[in-house]
Amino acid sequence: MEFLGEVLGDAFRYVFEFGPELRTILALTLIVAGLATAIGVLVGVPFGVWLGLSRFRGRGLVLALVNTGMGIPPVLAGLLLLILLWNDGVLGSWDALFTPGAMIGAQALLAFPIAAGVTAGAVRNLSGDAVEQLAALNVSASRRSWIAAREVWPGIAAAVAAAFGRVIAEVGAVLVVGGNIEGETRVLTTAIVQEARQSNLGAALGLGLVLLAVALIVNLALTWAQLRGEPAA
Amino acid sequence: MRAVDFGELAWESDGMQIVAPTDLGIRSGERMVIFGPNGAGKSTLLRLIAGVIGERSGEDVAYLPQRPFMFRGSGRRNLLMGLAGEESNRAEVLAKRLGVSNLLGTPAARLSGGERQRLALARTLASGRSLVALDEPLAAIGAKDRDNVIAVAGDAIGERTAVVVTHDRDIAVAFADRVALMVDGAVRSVGPPQEIFLDPANQDVAHLLGHQNVMVGTVVKQDGPLVQVSCSGLMVWALGEQAAGSEVRVTFGADAVTLHTVSSATATEGQDSARNHWLGSVRSLGDVGRLIEVVVDVGQPVAALITEGSMAGMGITVDDKVALSVKATAARAVTSAKQ
């Protein structure tokens, strides 16, 4: 018990001190996870709406690929990007390895299938009556997608929440392509690994509490938006 | 008149094959009612025409689904969805005529089934597309509002081509230039309602409806729940609330017609409760199942169903003079959609 109390005490002290190291880590985490989620959602949600509405040969295969992508291990996504960005790799000339840019790219790869898959699922849950009415409306394809997206708005909020939750919590991808360089590419999760490895359990737990707090705030905001979108009746 | 070409259309689902609607031979500007029992494939045929299933694009079709869906947002958002410019103005006017203009600020999720149907009907009719396809447009609309909705829809369709699916005989009679009778995925016969609903050879119709007399006429006067209608000079009392001068169609079943020999008719005139008494001569006798259909010319043909026993007892043959009586409450006047 004494040990646990000691770790907790260290953790809270670390958080409330809110030192420059923690501030840098938190800021980079929010930037990387935020931008990665934004990119994944901006590409994934429209793709998911299209996938949910359209009927074509091979649609089942695409849905299966997206669903597989939702479960891809982050460390594998990071490895694939690492190979591309390696000096001799296809994108080696970008010189992006071990930069926040590479981390955003890796996490966007993780966010995309989640945003697309959850959105497609919500659109596919539209009633047959709704789909038929959509088809009957005299509107362009993009307008039709927009109406469908608005109709499944809580599902899209869930897609954003799931994508953000996925990237903020993952450690494998950012570690592989970012390298966990202090002050440059260290984010909350990789910092937790670092501190734990060095037996700084208080600091590690403190970072974990900050991570939870960020996730909680973002999900509160998205849940509020979701509930607002529910019909009043 | 130019035929509306739907191209080659076919659909098969759950073992039922829907025939290509090119068989309908719908003419430009015509109002075709697809009529038949539930499960006959009427809606599937309309959806093929509207292009929501199958290969047809349907971009020329204003389509009202059987269960119109209301999207998030206000009644107005749903009313105007997909409409532009003049169409939007028309939709507002139609919403008013259909009695839903006061609901445009209400969230669509709170609207009742009837209100949704009117709103969606207003949107569909306001569209400038050349072919109007309505699936059971009055299914959720109460009896007292039907005449108004039929009249508004008739006006709004105007000179455009319309295809209306219904299983309701009165709606079919009110809308149709021609009726396509559909049973088990196939169009069995196509023709004017007067013929389709009163075709001694058509066992499908007889089975579905009983044989129906259909007459076209003008209301002469109202009397309580009844109207007197002049059908090419033949005066017919029927249930109805239309004002004098209204164009209506009167329907009554052949089984509601009582046949009298002329001498007995004279004896009972004024003593029974029937308001309609007509004299005429027997034009034909037809065997329809276990009954005999007697068609009597009383200025226009009226069908009566009697048993073989009655026929033998009365000794009726072709060209005999007979009297017919029909209770006014057995006949209905429905407002004609095409004035």
Side-chain angles (χ1 to χ4, degrees), chain B residues 294-315:
Chain B
V294 185
V295 177
V296 181
D297 187 352
V298 294
Q300 54 183 294
V302 172
L305 283 177
I306 58 172
T307 61
E308 283 185 39
S310 294
M311 188 175 74
M314 294 169 75

Side-chain angles (χ1 to χ4, degrees), chain B residues 9 12 18 36 105 113 115 163 189 220 226 245 248 263 286 290 316 338:
Chain B
L9 292 182
E12 193 168 352
I18 303 297
E115 291 164 346
V163 186
S189 45
V220 177
L226 304 180
V248 294
S263 58
R290 301 190 319 209
I316 297 173
K338 208 164 200 175

